[in-house]
Structures are given as structure tokens and as C-alpha cells.
Amino acid sequence: MDWLDKISEFWPHLAAGFSLLAALLASAHALLNKRDTRAATLWIGLIWLAPVVGAVLYLILGVNRIRRRAILLGMHGSVVRPIPEDLGEPDHKAVEHLTSLARAVSRVVAQPLTTGNKIRPLINGDDAFPTMLTAIESATQSIALSTYIFDNDASGKQFVEALARGVKRGVAVRVLIDAAGLRYSWPSVTRRLRRAQVPFARFLPSSLLAPWRVATINLRNHRKSLIVDGRVAFTGGMNIRHGNVLADQPRHPVQDLQFRAEGPVVGQLQEAFANDWAFTVGETLEGPAWFPELSECGNVIARVITDGPDADFEKLRWTLLAAVGEAQTRVQILTPYFLPDIALTTALNLAALRGVRVDIILPAKSNLPFVHWASRRDVVAGARTRLPPLAHPAVLRPLEADGGGWPLGFVRISQLGRAQLALEF
């Protein structure tokens, strides 16, 4: 047992050496791979302040293991048409900066701008859910549904029943639900989907009780889209839950927007879903049932920009920075969570200093109290904030600063109450 005695004599030195090596390797990895300097600094601090534990936490939560291969589905028969230089606007000079923005974004993202689209906004579940259900009932070829939350409530039951009828008609149905979003209701909707024989998949199941799944606990899919027959699509911020139907006065009402889209841009939404489905299940969706030839049906120029921790990393962030930098008269932000990084905060400040009017509308009450507190603290630095109680009219009119105009270099922050909706078109 001499070797055990020797190990017991030197084990403190071995443990210290292992801890030092783990800290050096984890710190080097964070320094070389974390693009956000704040994240890199916090991880390195944790690694050295909590020996071994910090390195293990970084290995589990800090290393990006999502490396999806690009699935080159193409447009499957869609034709990429040239974009007019004036972007379809009568005043060419007024949109020169938008042409520069389109050119910059084209170098960031893979998807091209598409012409001939028709986009219609749908306000809350009162407007969106009946329209979406009607589209599902009319499906003859395929239905692709992706959502973060799919509650097992009255609205969720309506969607399950509509999808089940589609399956019985012989329609190819695929439903992708984020595994974390399924936990918002109990029992989850998966049992109902399974009984209805609706094909579904959970995106990146994770559990603290399963070590091999802990690494994906913070990698969630918040995409929300419904594509019917590859021709009509719905996308926006709306989950499938009865709280969106304000007419029924739900216990936890949620205001949100959804958009109905037709035209070539639908092919890009379908491609985004097909990539996520192939990553989750391994099945490739292709053929005219999923990717029919799409023709122009409107006058909207649009493209889909996907964002994620893999090949799409920070593409949306770059797009937003380019858009704020090109803004000439106004920037309008309507968001439930507002946690801008330093770059976006700086871009908004510079826009305001150039004389651009920046309006940011936040909810009066958030479902995440800490994020709500941080959002109100993280508003644009040096901005004058206004959080007035809103009246019941559906459209929030611009607030005028003292003196009848909007002062140079100020950003307006407005509070959106639970019973009101702020929209400007």
C-alpha cells in the first residue's frame, strides 16, 4: 500500500495542479470564444473565484455545443427576383438610406430580399387564433407549426383538434415545441397531441437530473411560426395559450402581435422551420408539399432573418445595429423585454443625438419581475423617461416635450398598460 501512502501525501498538490490546469483551459476557452467581453469577464471571474466548480459550470453552461450544419434546402422552385433600386417607394431620394441598409444586411444574412409579398398584422389572439385555425382547416398538403409555448388550455385544445383533423384528411403535419415551453402548463399538451396522432417533437429536452442534458438548459427555441401548404405563413411573438385571447378576460392576459404572410417570403419561413425540424428529428422536409413554387401577390419587400447560437450567431443583432445607424427620422421599439447591450445602447444614443426620434414602449407589468426591473434600469443612458398611465384609446399618440417639439438627444420611454395597445403604422 506504499503507492496509496504516496498519493495521500501528494494529493493536495495534485488537486491544486488539476484546479489550476482546469482554470487555465476554461479561461483560455472563454477568452477566445466569447464575443461579448462582459460575458467573458464574468465567466473568467467565476472560474478563478470558484476553483473547479467555476470550470465545471463553464463546461456545462458556457460552452456552445450547438453547431448545426447548414441544410441547403434552397428555395425549391422559388425565383429570386431583382429588387427595385427605389424599394418600391415613389420618392427615390427618401429611401437611399434604406438601400444602404438592405445592402449591409445582405452581407450579414444568407436570405435575399424578396418582392411581391403581402403582410397583414393580427392583433392579439382574438384576431390571430381564428385566422390561424381557419388556415389549418383549409390545409391540403402540409402544416408546419413551431412554438415556444403550447399550453394545454382552451386555445391549445382548439389547435390540437384542428391539427388532428388535418392528419385525418391526409395532410402532412409537423409540430415543433420547445421542451422548456412545454412546462408552462401541466399536464403538458404532448399527451393530447399523442392521442390525436399529431406528429410532434420537443426541441432540445433538458433536465437538471440528467447530466448529459444540462448543457442545453439555456438553449431554447423561441421561434413562433405556422406555415400552411408552404403558401400561407403566420409569425410574430404569439405563443399558443389562452392568455392571448383578451375578449375572454383570462387570468393572465398577454398582448401580442402576429403577422399573416403570403408570397415568396413564406418559402424562407418554411426553410427556417425545416432546418429546426431536421436538427431536432433528423427528417428532411422537401418536395412541393412543403416548398411549392410561390408567386408574387403583393407589394411588400421582405426577408426572414434567423438568429441563434450556431451559424446564425448575432445576425439579428448586426441587423438591428445597422438599422439604428441608418435611421433618419424615427426609431420605434415595442418589446416585452428591453435588455440592450452596450453596442445597441450606444447606437440608440447616437441616433437620438443626430436628431432621430427614438420611442421605446415597454409593458407596465412583465411576467418576469427581474427582467422588468432590469429593462427599466437599462433604458438608454441619459434618456429622459416618461411612464404615463395610458388611456383606453387603442393608439398611443406621440407625447410632445415641453415647448411643443421633441428635444434633440432625448429618448422617450413609454409604459404600455395591460389593457392598451400601442401601434403606429
Side-chain angles (χ1 to χ4, degrees):
M1 302 297 291
D2 292 340
W3 62 277
L4 289 177
D5 295 334
K6 291 182 179 179
I7 291 178
S8 62
E9 181 181 352
F10 290 103
W11 78 263
H13 305 286
L14 295 174
F18 174 79
S19 176
L20 178 62
L21 180 61
L24 287 172
L25 292 176
S27 299
H29 189 279
L31 190 63
L32 294 173
N33 290 278
K34 293 296 178 184
R35 303 189 186 186
D36 188 338
T37 54
R38 294 179 298 178
T41 302
L42 288 173
W43 274 118
I44 292 174
L46 177 64
I47 290 167
W48 287 98
L49 292 175
V52 181
V53 175
V56 171
L57 287 176
Y58 178 75
L59 179 65
I60 295 174
L61 300 176
V63 178
N64 179 13
R65 292 177 175 80
I66 304 300
R67 291 289 184 266
R68 287 188 286 178
R69 294 181 300 167
I71 301 176
L72 302 177
L73 297 177
M75 294 305 294
H76 292 266
S78 297
V79 178
V80 179
R81 298 170 177 83
I83 305 300
E85 292 185 2
D86 58 3
L87 298 179
E89 298 291 336
D91 188 354
H92 177 67
K93 291 185 178 180
V95 296
E96 286 182 352
H97 64 293
L98 297 181
T99 304
S100 299
L101 174 61
R103 184 165 52 250
V105 176
S106 293
R107 295 179 178 178
V108 174
V109 305
Q111 298 285 21
L113 278 171
T114 62
T115 60
N117 301 288
K118 184 188 296 183
I119 310 291
R120 179 164 69 92
L122 304 171
I123 301 172
N124 298 324
D126 309 76
D127 193 6
F129 287 173
T131 308
M132 295 168 70
L133 290 169
T134 299
I136 292 175
E137 297 289 1
S138 67
T140 60
Q141 298 292 322
S142 64
I143 300 172
L145 173 63
S146 177
T147 182
Y148 175 64
I149 299 173
F150 196 145
D151 272 355
N152 188 16
D153 56 14
S155 293
K157 181 179 178 181
Q158 288 181 315
F159 274 87
V160 172
E161 292 174 350
L163 292 168
R165 287 191 289 271
V167 172
K168 290 180 180 179
R169 293 196 306 271
V171 178
V173 178
R174 301 292 185 274
V175 178
L176 182 61
I177 313 169
D178 186 84
L182 280 171
R183 300 192 183 103
Y184 278 76
S185 62
W186 182 262
S188 73
V189 77
T190 55
R191 192 176 304 173
R192 194 182 295 273
L193 288 168
R194 195 175 289 111
R195 285 201 305 262
Q197 298 182 338
V198 175
F200 73 93
R202 297 183 301 160
F203 183 86
L204 284 183
S206 58
S207 173
L208 293 174
L209 302 178
W212 59 92
R213 289 182 173 177
V214 172
T216 61
I217 198 169
N218 63 330
L219 297 173
R220 311 294 3 130
N221 187 348
H222 287 269
R223 291 174 185 164
K224 306 166 186 76
S225 63
L226 169 66
I227 304 99
V228 176
D229 291 337
R231 299 183 180 278
V232 178
F234 299 84
T235 189
M238 207 170 295
N239 290 294
I240 298 177
R241 58 189 332 190
H242 201 60
N244 289 298
V245 185
L246 302 188
D248 291 347
Q249 298 182 344
R251 183 179 179 184
H252 301 290
V254 179
Q255 291 186 142
D256 221 320
L257 284 173
Q258 199 82 334
F259 297 89
R260 184 183 188 274
E262 293 180 80
V265 75
V266 174
Q268 296 184 3
L269 285 167
Q270 187 75 292
E271 187 172 346
F273 175 87
N275 280 330
D276 288 340
W277 183 261
F279 168 75
T280 305
V281 179
E283 177 189 11
T284 301
L285 305 179
E286 55 186 356
W290 299 98
F291 294 92
E293 184 174 352
L294 299 171
S295 58
E296 296 185 357
C297 59
N299 58 0
V300 176
I301 298 174
R303 85 168 100 210
V304 171
I305 301 175
T306 55
D307 195 73
D310 52 356
D312 297 327
F313 184 65
E314 289 196 336
K315 288 185 177 180
L316 185 58
R317 176 175 175 269
W318 282 62
T319 299
L320 293 176
L321 289 173
V324 174
E326 291 287 354
Q328 301 292 310
T329 58
R330 176 174 291 185
V331 173
Q332 294 175 297
I333 300 174
L334 175 62
T335 177
Y337 312 121
F338 186 64
L339 299 171
D341 61 7
I342 294 175
L344 184 55
T345 301
T346 302
L348 290 170
N349 273 300
L350 289 174
L353 291 172
R354 293 199 319 267
V356 176
R357 176 168 172 168
V358 180
D359 295 335
I360 304 172
I361 300 178
L362 306 176
K365 184 177 181 180
S366 174
N367 62 328
L368 298 175
F370 172 76
V371 174
H372 182 59
W373 171 82
S375 296
R376 297 177 66 163
R377 284 179 54 86
D378 250 350
V379 294
V380 180
R384 181 171 69 180
T385 62
R386 290 191 171 195
L387 296 165
L390 300 186
H392 281 284
V395 178
L396 175 67
R397 298 301 179 187
L399 293 178
E400 295 298 333
D402 298 336
W406 196 248
L408 178 67
F410 281 94
V411 178
R412 182 184 67 166
I413 313 293
S414 296
Q415 175 175 275
L416 182 61
R418 290 168 62 182
Q420 295 80 40
L421 177 66
L423 287 176
E424 289 185 5
F425 293 101

